[in-house]
Amino acid sequence: MADEAELAADQHVRYIVTVEKVTSAATPPFPPRVPSTPPSAFQRPLLSSAQKKDSFESLVMEHIRLNGAYWGLTTLDLLHKLHAVDAAEVVDWIMSCYHPESGGFGGNVGHDPHVLYTLSAVQVLCLFDRLYVLDVDKVADYVAGLQNKDGSFSGDIWGEVDTRFSYIALCTLSLLHRLHKIDVQKAVDFVVSCKNLDGGFGAMPGGESHAGQIFCCVGALAITGSLHHIDRDLLGWWLCERQCKDGGLNGRPEKLADVRFTLL
């Protein structure tokens, strides 16, 4: 049984490393901001036709490659296989997505900075214990600069507001030990204002309760030591009711089960 489990882990590792090499290798849609260098092993695709830069898989993941790197590398870490990739090469690629003028990270080389990709970059650097490559205060200032007067956070300079961004911003600043750069109480107040009568949380005040938003809001309140704002029994019932007849969990009433919501 142990041999079978190890074989499954190795198969997962091979798949993840293959995907990482494919999805980090495509030519960016915009000219790079820094002089180009020969691609690393992490950036080069393997030779099969499925891994060409114009493959469907590569194109649809173009804008979220940094997130994908985080998901894949975290999986490798959980499998105790993080050594399957070269940390230095991964970090070099992560930093190629950095915008030194703003302090944020884009989802890929040449893409605009966004708080979502900035969190993934920080998480990957934490995973490899490489936070020292960052100008931590510059990155923290970028995130802090996205806080609005009501305590909410925009995802980027274009101004979209969502409780996901509150969680992401708080998580990033917590990892960087820079929560003092924002108005934490206003951030908490905004999240609490998104709480609904059913005990759940929406993307904004008055927004429909959704399991994904609940995860983010509970996470944000946990980071700030503010879990006392939650009606635990009411929210617990709402989450329990997400279980469908097939045993899976959905994100909101009348929706199909989705494995994403099992972690809640």
Side-chain angles (χ1 to χ4, degrees):
M1 191 68 177
D3 291 341
E4 292 179 0
E6 183 63 27
L7 177 62
D10 288 342
Q11 289 174 336
H12 286 309
V13 170
R14 284 196 296 272
Y15 172 75
I16 292 166
V17 171
T18 299
V19 171
E20 292 298 340
K21 286 184 177 180
V22 174
T23 59
S24 351
T27 301
F30 311 108
R33 300 180 312 279
V34 295
S36 59
T37 57
S40 67
F42 183 73
Q43 293 171 295
R44 287 194 301 269
L46 301 181
L47 298 178
S48 69
S49 60
Q51 295 168 329
K52 292 181 179 178
K53 66 182 181 182
D54 57 351
S55 69
F56 175 78
E57 291 83 359
S58 178
L59 291 173
V60 297
M61 296 180 68
E62 173 68 34
H63 65 295
I64 58 169
R65 297 236 168 90
L66 212 156
N67 293 149
Y70 165 69
W71 300 326
L73 293 166
T74 302
T75 303
L76 291 180
D77 191 41
L78 291 172
L79 293 171
H80 305 292
K81 301 288 186 178
L82 195 56
H83 59 272
V85 298
D86 186 305
E89 291 178 343
V90 175
V91 171
D92 284 346
W93 178 76
I94 292 292
M95 293 307 297
S96 72
C97 300
Y98 178 60
H99 289 252
E101 67 279 7
S102 68
F105 284 81
N108 198 357
V109 178
H111 285 245
D112 291 342
H114 193 286
V115 71
L116 174 59
Y117 311 120
T118 301
L119 172 60
S120 289
V122 170
Q123 288 171 320
V124 171
L125 293 175
C126 285
L127 199 62
F128 288 109
D129 195 22
R130 296 291 201 281
L131 274 183
Y132 59 79
V133 304
L134 287 180
D135 181 338
V136 171
D137 283 309
K138 182 75 172 180
V139 176
D141 286 341
Y142 167 73
V143 176
L146 294 171
Q147 187 173 33
N148 302 306
K149 291 181 179 179
D150 63 357
S152 65
F153 283 85
S154 300
D156 57 17
I157 61 173
W158 304 110
E160 180 187 6
V161 171
D162 189 315
T163 47
R164 290 176 301 160
F165 304 148
S166 294
Y167 167 69
I168 289 166
L170 289 165
C171 189
T172 304
L173 293 172
S174 178
L175 290 171
L176 297 176
H177 303 288
R178 296 295 191 277
L179 277 173
H180 62 272
K181 286 183 174 286
I182 61 168
D183 189 324
V184 174
Q185 187 56 56
K186 277 192 173 182
V188 170
D189 291 343
F190 176 77
V191 170
V192 173
S193 74
C194 299
K195 185 170 68 172
N196 293 319
L197 294 176
D198 57 15
F201 292 81
M204 57 190 66
E208 178 186 10
S209 293
H210 187 284
Q213 303 297 150
I214 289 170
F215 176 87
C216 290
C217 291
V218 171
L221 295 176
I223 290 169
T224 56
S226 305
L227 286 174
H228 58 278
H229 288 291
I230 295 173
D231 186 329
R232 300 188 184 204
D233 290 333
L234 187 58
L235 178 55
W237 271 115
W238 191 92
L239 291 170
C240 288
E241 289 172 349
R242 301 283 61 75
Q243 188 165 36
C244 304
K245 291 181 180 179
D246 60 6
L249 298 166
N250 60 24
R252 49 197 170 117
E254 307 302 324
K255 295 295 183 179
L256 296 176
D258 188 322
V259 72
R260 289 177 301 163
F261 303 120
T262 304
L263 61 85
L264 294 169

